[in-house]
Each structure stands twice: as C-alpha cells, then as structure tokens.
Amino acid sequence: MLFWRALVAGFLLFTWGGLGVSGVTNKLPPCEFPAIYNFGDSNSDTGGISAAFEPIRAPHGEGFFHKPAGRDSDGRLIVDFIAESVKLPYLGAYLNSLGTNFRHGANFATGGSTIGKPNETIYEYGISPFFLGMQITQFNQFKARTKELYDEAKIASDRDKLPRQEDFAKAMYTFDIGQNDLSVGFRKMSFDQLRAAIPDIVNQLASAVQNIYQQGGRAFWIHNTGPIGCLPTNFFYNHNPPPGFLDEHGCVKDQNNMAVEFNRQLKERVIKLRTELPEAAITYVDVYATKYELISNAKTLGYADPFKVCCGYHENYHHVWCGNKATINKTEVYGASCEDPSKSISWDGVHYTQAANQWVANHTLYGSLTDPPIPITQACHRQ
C-alpha cells in the first residue's frame, strides 16, 4: 500500500510538474529565489514559538530531524517542502537567536498566531502574541537591522549569515495564516459575528502584503486556510454530534463553511491586490481543496482514519497531548507517537504529519491548485 501510494504521488508529481512547464508557463524562465520570508502560524512555524516560550518536546520532529526541530509535526512542514522545491535551506526562525543563518531568509511564523491582534494571552488558549502585524513589524526591523550589520561586518563569515539587501526584492514571501482567527471566532463569537469580521481580517492580511511590497517585495505565495472542521480536536469532547452537524466525510459542516467563506473573500482580496500592486506576482494557493481531498479519500490513498490522532493519548475524555505526561487513574500516561506516522494524516489533532504535509505540497507546488496556475518555481512572474 505504501509502495502504491508513493507510485501515485510520483505520477502526480510528474504530470503536475509537466503541467507547470507546459502551455503559457513553458516560455517563462525559472525563478532564482535567493531567499524565502514566511509569515504564519503553527502550520509553518519552524521554531519561533519554541524559541520564545517552552521548547517543543519529543517525539515532535523525530521522524525526519531525529530530534525536536521547533515544528508541530513528526517531520517537515509544507514550508520545508517549499524551500526544497526552490533549492534553498530550511528556514530558521527569526526568534531563534542561537546559530541561525539568515542568508536565505527567515521565518516569522509562530504557533498560535492570528492575523488580527489578539486580546488574550498564550497561557489561556495558546494564542501567540506574535500576530501578523507584529510579524510584519519584526520583518521591517529585520530588514533595517541586517543592513546595518552587513555594512558593519569586518569579515566575510559574518556577512555570509546575513541577507544581501538586493535579495529582498528577489525573495519569495509566503503566507499561511488565518486558521486561528477562525478558531478564536468559533470560541468567542456567533457564526454571524464571525462572518461579519472576516472582511477586516482579510484586509489586515492584504495590508501585510502591501507593507512588504513597499519594502521592495514582489513575489507572494499566499495559502488559503484549511478545512478546520476536519481537525480531530473537534471530537475530543463531542463524541456524539447531533444529526446534520457533520458533512458526508465526517467534518464539522458549519466550521468548514466558514473556512470556505474566508477563502472566498481572501481570493477576491488577492485579485484586488494585483490591481493595487502593479509589479507584484501574487499566487493564491488552494490548500483547503488539497487537504479536504486528502481527508475525504484517506482510505483510498492508503492512509489511516483521518480523524485518528497519531501522537498523544485521547481516550474516554482523557487527553494527554503529544509529548506530554499526565496521571490518569493513578497511572502515568505519556502522549507517545503512533508506530508509523507515515500512514497517518493528523499528527496531534491539530497539525498534520510529514506524510500529509508532503502530499499537500506535491499537490500545490506545481500549479494545479493555484491562481494563476503556475508552479512555485516560476511564481516570480506576474501573470
């Protein structure tokens, strides 16, 4: 089954990669991105929240990095596969001050980040203080400060760890954020209130893109938000949902409908941004469709139950999160990993396994689910 799944993935990579270089795009030269700058939440955090607060524990990261690597997964995230596809090193977190090389970019994403400014602390519900506006402020400071340090550097080895100023205009700017805005909304608002708040949330993301454009950025790769109603955490405390609560694939219908509405407005705003920013190449990436397809067809594709969590202990309303320990009925319980994460979609109930992340990357990086339909290797060209 694993061989068959790998064969299918390889076929898709070949055919979709071919689509990415056929038709209109075969006339375009490949982009040579010198760096990636990423903004987002835990779906693309490569060590930010782990550096700022408590480090992420094992077994996170052990499936690929053989140790915790600041990622909420057993291995690589989509942003890691993006880096691989454009032949750049994995991104270091901006907040990680120890041993990080920023020559080829920086990651400003942190787990729990929202687009909108939070009004609660990370110790309440895990919402990061580093919302998107703060990440943009950090980027602006990073760009200015690295120029000073580069100019002041006395030896080449010091300069080699810093970005060249001319590279900011040639870099790829990636965004994967918005899921936590919906999550907070589900917890604090009615559906009507959340729906009314979406335009402002989307406009704040657009403002972030405009800020980077003013700083010289030109290539943008913007993920929409995934099917939040399909996350297994929805069922940790709701084992018997009422009739009509779930869709035909077992996901929370109303939550996914809200994600679809968020994505509709985001796509409309991206189209408007293309008019407002005449030199920008902005690609909208339909991560929702890809993840929903994976979850809907998990068994056919050779994966385990998509609502079964690989890492952690979640039985009979007792919950021990991945990598943690707790005492249940006088017995210490460890939130361990499942035997083979490559067969699972959900890593810990909220985040995806490396296998799922790779599947999503394979289905989005080659132009089949992007607007415009262009592979990331050519996404510097305005369509």
Side-chain angles (χ1 to χ4, degrees):
M1 183 63 74
L2 285 174
F3 171 77
W4 177 86
R5 193 166 77 219
L7 189 64
V8 171
F11 172 76
L12 289 168
L13 261 171
F14 176 78
T15 55
W16 288 1
L19 285 173
V21 294
S22 65
V24 175
T25 57
N26 65 3
K27 300 177 183 178
L28 298 173
C31 306
E32 295 185 6
F33 296 113
I36 299 171
Y37 293 97
N38 182 68
F39 306 86
D41 53 29
S42 56
N43 288 308
S44 61
D45 179 3
T46 56
I49 208 70
S50 189
F53 293 95
E54 185 176 349
I56 292 175
R57 306 183 184 97
H60 293 285
E62 292 189 341
F64 180 79
F65 300 99
H66 308 295
K67 62 180 180 180
R71 293 157 173 80
D72 281 311
S73 181
D74 59 308
R76 289 165 290 179
L77 310 179
I78 296 171
V79 71
D80 294 312
F81 293 109
I82 288 175
E84 289 181 3
S85 70
V86 296
K87 297 179 172 55
L88 290 176
Y90 300 134
L91 288 184
Y94 166 76
L95 293 172
N96 190 355
S97 60
L98 299 175
T100 303
N101 187 321
F102 294 117
R103 169 51 65 94
H104 297 291
N107 193 348
F108 297 87
T110 64
S113 286
T114 51
I115 296 172
K117 186 177 181 179
N119 58 5
E120 58 190 47
T121 75
I122 194 170
Y123 301 106
E124 293 175 279
Y125 293 99
I127 297 301
S128 169
F130 304 106
F131 65 105
L132 182 57
M134 181 61 69
Q135 293 180 26
I136 296 299
T137 298
Q138 291 173 336
F139 169 76
N140 292 341
Q141 182 181 24
F142 173 88
K143 187 171 182 290
R145 185 71 178 123
T146 53
K147 181 183 187 307
E148 293 177 5
L149 293 172
Y150 191 93
D151 292 343
E152 294 169 359
K154 304 298 184 185
I155 55 176
S157 60
D158 288 341
R159 288 191 294 273
D160 289 345
K161 297 177 182 178
L162 298 169
R164 295 174 290 250
Q165 285 301 298
E166 61 268 25
D167 288 349
F168 284 100
K170 304 172 186 176
M172 167 64 78
Y173 294 87
T174 55
F175 290 79
D176 191 336
I177 194 166
Q179 179 175 305
N180 290 318
D181 295 86
L182 297 184
S183 178
V184 171
F186 296 145
R187 177 159 45 82
K188 291 189 168 186
M189 303 178 188
S190 68
F191 281 99
D192 287 342
Q193 289 172 327
L194 178 55
R195 190 175 292 106
I198 288 176
D200 180 61
I201 296 170
V202 168
N203 279 330
Q204 289 184 61
L205 195 155
S207 294
V209 174
Q210 290 168 333
N211 182 292
I212 292 172
Y213 183 85
Q214 291 164 3
Q215 293 277 352
R218 292 296 181 265
F220 300 88
W221 186 265
I222 302 175
H223 287 187
N224 67 10
T225 199
I228 189 171
C230 299
L231 298 180
T233 49
N234 287 308
F235 311 103
F236 282 1
Y237 299 97
N238 186 2
H239 292 182
N240 298 293
F245 189 75
L246 306 179
D247 67 13
E248 65 271 26
H249 298 294
C251 302
V252 179
K253 190 185 302 182
D254 286 345
Q255 290 193 6
N256 276 356
N257 287 343
M258 194 66 71
V260 169
E261 176 59 19
F262 175 91
N263 291 338
R264 182 189 69 80
Q265 294 193 34
L266 175 62
K267 187 173 184 180
E268 286 184 354
R269 192 66 186 89
V270 165
I271 292 170
K272 187 178 178 183
L273 274 172
R274 292 181 184 135
T275 302
E276 297 168 348
L277 310 178
E279 296 180 11
I282 309 176
T283 307
Y284 171 90
V285 186
D286 196 353
V287 170
Y288 181 101
T290 317
K291 290 182 175 180
Y292 193 70
E293 180 186 353
L294 173 61
I295 291 164
S296 302
N297 298 290
K299 185 176 181 180
T300 303
L301 293 168
Y303 291 92
D305 181 350
F307 302 104
K308 184 174 177 59
V309 174
C310 175
C311 187
Y313 177 90
H314 304 283
E315 302 287 345
N316 301 320
Y317 297 98
H318 295 296
H319 300 288
V320 183
W321 287 88
C322 181
N324 291 337
K325 294 179 181 179
T327 301
I328 299 174
N329 297 325
K330 300 181 180 180
T331 301
E332 185 176 79
V333 176
Y334 174 60
S337 170
C338 60
E339 185 175 344
D340 187 359
S342 70
K343 295 180 180 177
S344 296
I345 291 174
S346 179
W347 170 240
D348 60 5
V350 176
H351 308 99
Y352 291 75
T353 61
Q354 173 178 269
N357 287 327
Q358 185 165 21
W359 198 92
V360 173
N362 288 347
H363 289 69
T364 54
L365 295 180
Y366 300 93
S368 62
L369 286 168
T370 63
D371 177 32
I374 190 168
I376 194 168
T377 52
Q378 295 176 325
C380 63
H381 300 288
R382 182 180 171 93
Q383 298 291 291

mmCIF file of all heavy atoms in Angstrom, residues 1 17 20 23 26 44 63 99 149 156 167 186 189 197 242-243 256 283 285 303 322 340-341 381:
data_model
loop_
_atom_site.group_PDB
_atom_site.id
_atom_site.type_symbol
_atom_site.label_atom_id
_atom_site.label_comp_id
_atom_site.label_asym_id
_atom_site.label_seq_id
_atom_site.Cartn_x
_atom_site.Cartn_y
_atom_site.Cartn_z
ATOM 1 N N MET A 1 0.834 -1.208 0.000
ATOM 2 C CA MET A 1 0.000 0.000 0.000
ATOM 3 C C MET A 1 0.862 1.249 0.000
ATOM 4 O O MET A 1 0.590 2.214 -0.703
ATOM 5 C CB MET A 1 -0.927 -0.013 1.224
ATOM 6 C CG MET A 1 -1.896 1.180 1.259
ATOM 7 S SD MET A 1 -3.045 1.187 -0.120
ATOM 8 C CE MET A 1 -4.143 -0.140 0.386
ATOM 9 N N GLY A 17 3.944 18.437 -12.465
ATOM 10 C CA GLY A 17 5.140 19.200 -12.761
ATOM 11 C C GLY A 17 5.203 19.523 -14.251
ATOM 12 O O GLY A 17 5.603 20.608 -14.652
ATOM 13 N N GLY A 20 3.067 22.329 -15.028
ATOM 14 C CA GLY A 20 3.657 23.585 -14.592
ATOM 15 C C GLY A 20 4.617 24.173 -15.608
ATOM 16 O O GLY A 20 4.899 25.351 -15.573
ATOM 17 N N GLY A 23 2.274 24.796 -21.903
ATOM 18 C CA GLY A 23 1.383 25.904 -22.233
ATOM 19 C C GLY A 23 2.086 27.237 -22.091
ATOM 20 O O GLY A 23 3.172 27.451 -22.603
ATOM 21 N N ASN A 26 5.670 27.420 -20.102
ATOM 22 C CA ASN A 26 6.937 26.878 -20.606
ATOM 23 C C ASN A 26 7.800 27.951 -21.263
ATOM 24 O O ASN A 26 8.947 27.721 -21.580
ATOM 25 C CB ASN A 26 6.681 25.711 -21.556
ATOM 26 C CG ASN A 26 5.949 26.127 -22.827
ATOM 27 O OD1 ASN A 26 5.674 27.308 -23.046
ATOM 28 N ND2 ASN A 26 5.632 25.143 -23.665
ATOM 29 N N SER A 44 3.278 26.610 9.698
ATOM 30 C CA SER A 44 4.566 26.885 9.037
ATOM 31 C C SER A 44 5.641 27.368 10.010
ATOM 32 O O SER A 44 6.691 27.845 9.573
ATOM 33 C CB SER A 44 4.376 27.923 7.924
ATOM 34 O OG SER A 44 3.886 29.152 8.429
ATOM 35 N N GLY A 63 10.693 12.041 13.266
ATOM 36 C CA GLY A 63 10.534 11.245 12.049
ATOM 37 C C GLY A 63 11.457 11.662 10.923
ATOM 38 O O GLY A 63 11.751 10.865 10.029
ATOM 39 N N GLY A 99 22.610 30.482 16.615
ATOM 40 C CA GLY A 99 23.127 29.695 15.498
ATOM 41 C C GLY A 99 22.313 29.743 14.220
ATOM 42 O O GLY A 99 22.491 28.889 13.344
ATOM 43 N N LEU A 149 24.124 45.650 10.107
ATOM 44 C CA LEU A 149 25.104 44.641 10.496
ATOM 45 C C LEU A 149 25.952 44.204 9.306
ATOM 46 O O LEU A 149 27.158 43.959 9.447
ATOM 47 C CB LEU A 149 24.380 43.429 11.109
ATOM 48 C CG LEU A 149 23.687 43.679 12.457
ATOM 49 C CD1 LEU A 149 22.858 42.470 12.846
ATOM 50 C CD2 LEU A 149 24.722 43.976 13.541
ATOM 51 N N ALA A 156 34.152 38.207 6.159
ATOM 52 C CA ALA A 156 33.186 37.615 5.241
ATOM 53 C C ALA A 156 32.253 36.629 5.939
ATOM 54 O O ALA A 156 31.071 36.535 5.598
ATOM 55 C CB ALA A 156 33.919 36.920 4.093
ATOM 56 N N ASP A 167 18.684 41.150 -2.258
ATOM 57 C CA ASP A 167 17.919 39.906 -2.309
ATOM 58 C C ASP A 167 16.484 40.068 -1.829
ATOM 59 O O ASP A 167 15.628 39.224 -2.138
ATOM 60 C CB ASP A 167 18.617 38.821 -1.476
ATOM 61 C CG ASP A 167 19.884 38.306 -2.150
ATOM 62 O OD1 ASP A 167 20.101 38.640 -3.329
ATOM 63 O OD2 ASP A 167 20.649 37.573 -1.484
ATOM 64 N N PHE A 186 -14.818 30.916 16.554
ATOM 65 C CA PHE A 186 -15.743 29.855 16.939
ATOM 66 C C PHE A 186 -15.936 29.814 18.452
ATOM 67 O O PHE A 186 -17.010 29.486 18.951
ATOM 68 C CB PHE A 186 -15.240 28.492 16.463
ATOM 69 C CG PHE A 186 -15.171 28.343 14.971
ATOM 70 C CD1 PHE A 186 -14.153 27.596 14.375
ATOM 71 C CD2 PHE A 186 -16.109 28.945 14.147
ATOM 72 C CE1 PHE A 186 -14.088 27.455 13.001
ATOM 73 C CE2 PHE A 186 -16.047 28.808 12.764
ATOM 74 C CZ PHE A 186 -15.031 28.062 12.189
ATOM 75 N N MET A 189 -17.441 34.027 19.305
ATOM 76 C CA MET A 189 -18.459 34.740 18.545
ATOM 77 C C MET A 189 -19.542 33.787 18.043
ATOM 78 O O MET A 189 -19.335 32.573 17.961
ATOM 79 C CB MET A 189 -17.835 35.428 17.317
ATOM 80 C CG MET A 189 -16.721 36.387 17.585
ATOM 81 S SD MET A 189 -16.091 37.050 15.993
ATOM 82 C CE MET A 189 -14.653 37.951 16.566
ATOM 83 N N ALA A 197 -16.854 39.663 10.690
ATOM 84 C CA ALA A 197 -15.479 40.070 10.996
ATOM 85 C C ALA A 197 -14.486 39.691 9.904
ATOM 86 O O ALA A 197 -13.370 40.227 9.869
ATOM 87 C CB ALA A 197 -15.040 39.447 12.326
ATOM 88 N N PRO A 242 -24.804 15.860 16.958
ATOM 89 C CA PRO A 242 -26.215 15.727 16.562
ATOM 90 C C PRO A 242 -26.360 15.557 15.054
ATOM 91 O O PRO A 242 -25.440 15.864 14.284
ATOM 92 C CB PRO A 242 -26.824 17.054 17.032
ATOM 93 C CG PRO A 242 -25.680 18.012 17.052
ATOM 94 C CD PRO A 242 -24.487 17.208 17.449
ATOM 95 N N PRO A 243 -27.513 15.095 14.601
ATOM 96 C CA PRO A 243 -27.755 14.940 13.161
ATOM 97 C C PRO A 243 -27.556 16.265 12.417
ATOM 98 O O PRO A 243 -27.963 17.322 12.905
ATOM 99 C CB PRO A 243 -29.219 14.479 13.095
ATOM 100 C CG PRO A 243 -29.476 13.852 14.430
ATOM 101 C CD PRO A 243 -28.657 14.627 15.417
ATOM 102 N N ASN A 256 -16.388 24.298 8.387
ATOM 103 C CA ASN A 256 -15.826 24.284 7.039
ATOM 104 C C ASN A 256 -16.494 25.319 6.145
ATOM 105 O O ASN A 256 -15.833 25.933 5.295
ATOM 106 C CB ASN A 256 -15.941 22.887 6.424
ATOM 107 C CG ASN A 256 -14.801 21.976 6.835
ATOM 108 O OD1 ASN A 256 -13.871 22.400 7.520
ATOM 109 N ND2 ASN A 256 -14.870 20.727 6.432
ATOM 110 N N THR A 283 0.399 34.770 -5.984
ATOM 111 C CA THR A 283 -0.211 33.468 -6.242
ATOM 112 C C THR A 283 -1.075 33.060 -5.055
ATOM 113 O O THR A 283 -0.616 33.060 -3.908
ATOM 114 C CB THR A 283 0.863 32.393 -6.485
ATOM 115 O OG1 THR A 283 1.756 32.834 -7.526
ATOM 116 C CG2 THR A 283 0.222 31.079 -6.903
ATOM 117 N N VAL A 285 -3.059 30.071 -3.268
ATOM 118 C CA VAL A 285 -2.873 28.617 -3.229
ATOM 119 C C VAL A 285 -4.030 27.967 -2.477
ATOM 120 O O VAL A 285 -4.279 28.278 -1.309
ATOM 121 C CB VAL A 285 -1.530 28.261 -2.546
ATOM 122 C CG1 VAL A 285 -1.268 26.761 -2.638
ATOM 123 C CG2 VAL A 285 -0.380 29.047 -3.170
ATOM 124 N N TYR A 303 -4.082 5.824 3.584
ATOM 125 C CA TYR A 303 -3.855 6.379 4.920
ATOM 126 C C TYR A 303 -4.845 5.796 5.930
ATOM 127 O O TYR A 303 -5.884 5.235 5.572
ATOM 128 C CB TYR A 303 -4.006 7.900 4.899
ATOM 129 C CG TYR A 303 -2.911 8.614 4.150
ATOM 130 C CD1 TYR A 303 -3.048 8.915 2.796
ATOM 131 C CD2 TYR A 303 -1.725 8.986 4.780
ATOM 132 C CE1 TYR A 303 -2.053 9.569 2.096
ATOM 133 C CE2 TYR A 303 -0.717 9.641 4.086
ATOM 134 C CZ TYR A 303 -0.883 9.927 2.751
ATOM 135 O OH TYR A 303 0.111 10.567 2.061
ATOM 136 N N CYS A 322 0.492 15.389 22.687
ATOM 137 C CA CYS A 322 1.720 14.820 22.142
ATOM 138 C C CYS A 322 2.956 15.313 22.894
ATOM 139 O O CYS A 322 3.179 16.513 23.031
ATOM 140 C CB CYS A 322 1.826 15.194 20.669
ATOM 141 S SG CYS A 322 3.271 14.541 19.820
ATOM 142 N N ASP A 340 3.687 4.186 13.107
ATOM 143 C CA ASP A 340 4.098 4.594 11.761
ATOM 144 C C ASP A 340 3.365 5.870 11.352
ATOM 145 O O ASP A 340 2.288 5.812 10.745
ATOM 146 C CB ASP A 340 3.815 3.473 10.762
ATOM 147 C CG ASP A 340 4.375 3.776 9.375
ATOM 148 O OD1 ASP A 340 4.959 4.876 9.202
ATOM 149 O OD2 ASP A 340 4.242 2.924 8.475
ATOM 150 N N PRO A 341 3.930 7.042 11.668
ATOM 151 C CA PRO A 341 3.266 8.308 11.306
ATOM 152 C C PRO A 341 3.037 8.479 9.811
ATOM 153 O O PRO A 341 2.155 9.239 9.404
ATOM 154 C CB PRO A 341 4.245 9.371 11.830
ATOM 155 C CG PRO A 341 5.005 8.698 12.913
ATOM 156 C CD PRO A 341 5.157 7.270 12.447
ATOM 157 N N HIS A 381 6.978 35.514 -11.755
ATOM 158 C CA HIS A 381 6.491 36.165 -12.967
ATOM 159 C C HIS A 381 5.033 36.578 -12.795
ATOM 160 O O HIS A 381 4.178 35.749 -12.471
ATOM 161 C CB HIS A 381 6.624 35.224 -14.169
ATOM 162 C CG HIS A 381 8.027 34.789 -14.433
ATOM 163 N ND1 HIS A 381 8.980 35.641 -14.941
ATOM 164 C CD2 HIS A 381 8.648 33.598 -14.232
ATOM 165 C CE1 HIS A 381 10.131 34.978 -15.063
ATOM 166 N NE2 HIS A 381 9.949 33.740 -14.631
#
